[in-house]
Amino acid sequence: MNDQAQRLRDLVNRDPCTVARTVAVTSGKGGVGKTNIAINLALALINMNQKVALLDGDLGLANADLLLGVYPKYTLLDIVNGKRELSDIVIEGPLGLKVIAGGSGVYELANISQMGLDRLISAAIHLNGELDFLIVDTSAGLARKVIRVIMAVSEVLVVATSEPSSIADAYGLIKTILQREPEKEITILANMVRSPNEGLLVWQKINMMTSRFLQREVKYVGCVFFDPKVVSAVRAQQAFLLAYPGSSASRSVYSVAENLLTKAFLSANQVTANVRMPFGRNTFAN
Ligand SMILES: Nc1ncnc2c1ncn2[C@@H]1O[C@H](COP(=O)(O)OP(=O)(O)O)[C@@H](O)[C@H]1O
Ligand SMILES: [Mg+2]
């Protein structure tokens, strides 16, 4: 594990442009909205003048390409097999978003070899040199491969909903990450909430557990509202940010993007029990 981490660090250090940020969008439990968040966050950041790429790192069931309506000729599998260079599998999505497609349901990718994963991650980190953000959409859970993808990025955004199982699984994932990398930057994003307070509560519950049992606080990047427009956009294979720019989901994604961009993360000492947070572009401004 340490050799692995060291190799990745060496790769990053060799890259002349290490200013860019690599952000994994992950969760303990599946179906909480990771892929939708990853795509729409990436597009929101582009609209905020950032250079962004999306790596579909959901190694078992890649689907970012489906949601974006783009169909790659080559996928990560070709890179893993050493048949293609990264430039061959980067495709242009909406707003010029660079998408590195995983290859839907490819068995070999789900059973990727250690060397293959190294190639994948190092290739992605290399691409990162030209970018402000590399957003990595991962699969859910504690599988070793998911954890290793998470270890390779600089920031981890854990998506959770208000369902108790989602909150419990988010805690489990954070515990695993921190056991391996105690200093890892982890933030919580609450998805499918019906009010800002519901989002805050999701984060506070997770933060209470990490503070008590792991002696570590996690910060809050904001929430995305539950919005039927998300479901409509998914059906139409479109990003909701583009199909429904004025929807509450889109507006909340812009808030999250702004907080992510400016690193305006909320920490527990900024919030007292009954505080009501306003929700707008300056969500966390004093
Ligand atoms: N903010 C939201 N509002 C309403 N429905 C949502 C929202 N986010 C996700 N969903 C629903 O959850 C489903 C799963 O989302 P997806 O991004 O594929 O999750 P994951 O990648 O975590 O498995 C979507 O197809 C959509 O129906
Ligand atoms: Mg997904």
Side-chain angles (χ1 to χ4, degrees), residues 206-260:
I206 297 169
N207 189 48
M208 217 185 295
M209 287 195 278
T210 63
S211 302
R212 185 175 301 169
F213 302 122
L214 309 174
Q215 290 74 49
R216 240 301 290 267
E217 276 197 13
V218 286
K219 292 186 176 178
Y220 184 52
V221 69
C223 68
V224 174
F225 292 123
F226 178 86
D227 188 340
K229 290 278 191 280
V230 174
V231 183
S232 310
V234 168
R235 281 204 194 113
Q237 292 192 359
Q238 285 176 339
F240 63 77
L241 199 88
L242 304 178
Y244 305 103
S247 64
S248 63
S250 296
R251 281 185 281 122
S252 45
V253 162
Y254 274 112
S255 281
V256 168
E258 190 165 304
N259 291 337
L260 183 68

Side-chain angles (χ1 to χ4, degrees), residues 1 13 74 87 98 110 123-124 146 171 192 206 232 237 268 280:
M1 186 68 223
N13 291 339
Y74 303 107
S87 55
K98 292 187 178 83
V146 182
Y171 167 74
M192 300 197 230
I206 297 169
S232 310
Q237 292 192 359

Side-chain angles (χ1 to χ4, degrees), residues 34-35 58 61 63 137-138:
K34 290 178 298 298
T35 300
D58 189 339
L61 200 74
N63 55 12
D137 179 23
T138 76

Side-chain angles (χ1 to χ4, degrees), residues 166-204:
S166 164
I167 289 171
D169 291 354
Y171 167 74
L173 175 65
I174 292 165
K175 184 177 170 188
T176 304
I177 296 169
L178 291 178
Q179 275 167 352
R180 286 165 174 76
E181 232 177 304
E183 303 303 323
K184 198 80 176 180
E185 196 167 332
I186 299 174
T187 53
I188 304 297
L189 188 154
N191 188 26
M192 300 197 230
V193 297
R194 288 166 200 273
S195 70
N197 269 356
E198 190 186 329
L200 274 175
L201 210 57
V202 169
W203 162 59
Q204 284 171 329

